[in-house]
Amino acid sequence: MLILGLESSCDETAAALVTGDRRVLAHRLAGQEAAHRPYGGVVPEIAARAHVEALEPLIAAAFADAGCTIHDVDAVAATAGPGLIGGVMVGLVTGKALAHAAGKPFVAVNHLEGHALSPRLSDPDLDFPYLLLLVSGGHCQLLLVEGVARYRRLATTIDDAVGEAFDKSAKILGLGFPGGPAVEQAALAGDATAVPLPRPLKGSAEPHFSFAGLKAAVMRAAPHHAAADVAASFQAAVVDCLIDRTARALRHSHGATALVVAGGVAANLAVREALRELATRHGLRFVAPPLWLCTDNAAMIGWAGAERFAAGMTDGLDAPARARWPLDPDAEAVRGAGVKA
Ligand code: KG4
Ligand code: ZN
């Protein structure tokens, strides 16, 4: 089985060719950091325009890398949300047009499902169910992944996403954009005990996450400390919160075969190491995709498309672009969750 995957929901344009037996024949990516850097964050209109310019050549390059054409694929999969709606539409319409023109089935992929299933692309032994910490620029959730299209949300952030907290902290500290890798880098030279910072919701019986208070504390501390010390202290606080909340969720994840982390923040080595220790303490396997598969890419969209296609789930050309699209439709709304501040 061969799937073309397309991704354009935020600031990465990407195309990949993925097989049903987990081979990534091609994956091409065009970042837009330079276009957004002057604004210190992703500007939706600039992103949508950049996707339009980048996508077609990327698809052609991916086919050239893999040595095949659209006629060799079994289905086309594209991100249909959640994300910045202008960008989502670019990839979605392109995917539908290619599928229609070549007479191929189309699969509308939830970007979060792409992240959620990405560890199964890199690890053939990862079986359902598993407890997933999904940490990205727009989300911070704990999900029990019971199968393809079967997600139970155990927790989410009540304010900022964790990647957003990294990005905002980097901006406050003048570390540049994108913020996550910059904070991680700066933290290497800092003292994680130098700046006392809060651990919002740590120890709370409530399952959720909160990062707004931590961001505010970084803002107050920044003028009085070295940036490296604030970065290290911030990262330590984030890790503390993630571990505390994940440990709590583990008590409600009976039957989970593994503790899994995915999403852009899963590229953070301090986060990965702390989760690995937590999994070991609980006698669970720990699975984290390679770094390139953590941040946005199209291989994970192609893989989610492959999993859905194999399960007989395809979509019509009327599949809508969705700015919001929760993985667990039964999860109750949480105040402010997923809303970018
Ligand atoms: O999954 P992703 O690429 O895009 C979204 O779907 O949001 O995640 C991007 C987020 C950004 O907030 C970025 O700063 C963060 O992931 N990130 C990191 C690291 N690499 C990327 N955060 C902390 N440490 C990193 N090494
Ligand atoms: Zn993402």
Side-chain angles (χ1 to χ4, degrees):
M1 187 208 302
L2 179 65
I3 308 289
L4 170 65
L6 304 179
E7 160 61 31
S8 62
S9 66
C10 190
D11 59 345
E12 313 279 1
T13 320
L17 286 151
V18 180
T19 69
D21 57 358
R22 297 183 160 80
R23 284 174 299 132
V24 180
L25 301 188
H27 80 97
R28 286 276 183 156
L29 192 94
Q32 309 173 354
E33 282 85 4
H36 299 293
R37 187 165 290 125
Y39 308 93
V42 178
V43 182
E45 291 77 8
I46 292 175
R49 200 175 297 250
H51 288 305
V52 171
E53 285 167 10
L55 190 53
E56 216 182 290
L58 276 182
I59 295 170
F63 276 123
D65 292 347
C68 60
T69 74
I70 185 72
H71 302 291
D72 299 312
V73 309
D74 293 286
V76 178
T79 298
L84 301 172
I85 197 71
V88 169
M89 284 168 67
V90 173
L92 183 62
V93 167
T94 304
K96 286 176 179 176
L98 282 170
H100 184 64
K104 304 289 180 180
F106 178 72
V107 187
V109 173
N110 182 316
H111 178 86
L112 301 175
E113 184 164 48
H115 281 303
L117 297 177
S118 64
R120 281 169 53 79
L121 172 58
S122 54
D123 187 332
D125 298 324
L126 177 59
D127 290 324
F128 302 118
Y130 51 86
L131 179 65
L132 171 73
L133 175 64
L134 176 51
V135 276
S136 71
H139 298 270
C140 184
Q141 305 186 352
L142 282 156
L143 296 150
L144 194 61
V145 182
E146 297 172 324
V148 177
R150 289 175 53 211
Y151 303 91
R152 203 142 60 75
R153 198 193 74 194
L154 304 178
T156 187
T157 178
I158 60 169
D159 40 57
D160 295 350
V162 62
E164 194 181 344
F166 268 98
D167 293 335
K168 290 270 165 63
S169 296
K171 200 169 177 176
I172 293 164
L173 296 171
L175 296 175
F177 173 84
V183 169
E184 179 171 17
Q185 190 59 35
L188 292 175
D191 174 0
T193 63
V195 186
L197 293 173
R199 269 75 172 151
L201 292 183
K202 185 178 176 185
S204 161
E206 180 183 357
H208 300 305
F209 299 88
S210 168
F211 295 102
L214 181 53
K215 180 180 69 187
V218 166
M219 207 175 290
R220 286 192 299 272
H224 312 290
H225 297 272
D229 288 344
V230 183
S233 302
F234 163 80
Q235 186 170 272
V238 167
V239 167
D240 237 13
C241 294
L242 293 178
I243 294 303
D244 176 73
R245 308 284 72 201
T246 307
R248 187 195 173 284
L250 277 174
R251 301 206 297 267
H252 303 270
S253 323
H254 304 295
T257 63
L259 173 59
V260 177
V261 66
V265 182
N268 185 287
L269 297 183
V271 169
R272 288 164 90 96
E273 271 326 296
L275 286 167
R276 183 188 304 282
E277 277 172 30
L278 177 68
T280 305
R281 279 206 299 280
H282 284 76
L284 285 172
R285 282 187 67 212
F286 174 65
V287 178
L291 301 192
W292 72 268
L293 199 49
C294 289
T295 45
D296 285 350
N297 64 86
M300 70 178 192
I301 303 303
W303 174 250
E307 294 240 45
R308 291 185 78 88
F309 186 64
M313 300 173 194
T314 58
D315 297 272
L317 295 183
D318 56 350
R322 301 168 69 164
R324 288 189 158 225
W325 187 1
L327 271 185
D328 177 357
D330 298 329
E332 60 182 283
V334 171
R335 151 179 66 100
V339 176
K340 294 230 175 191

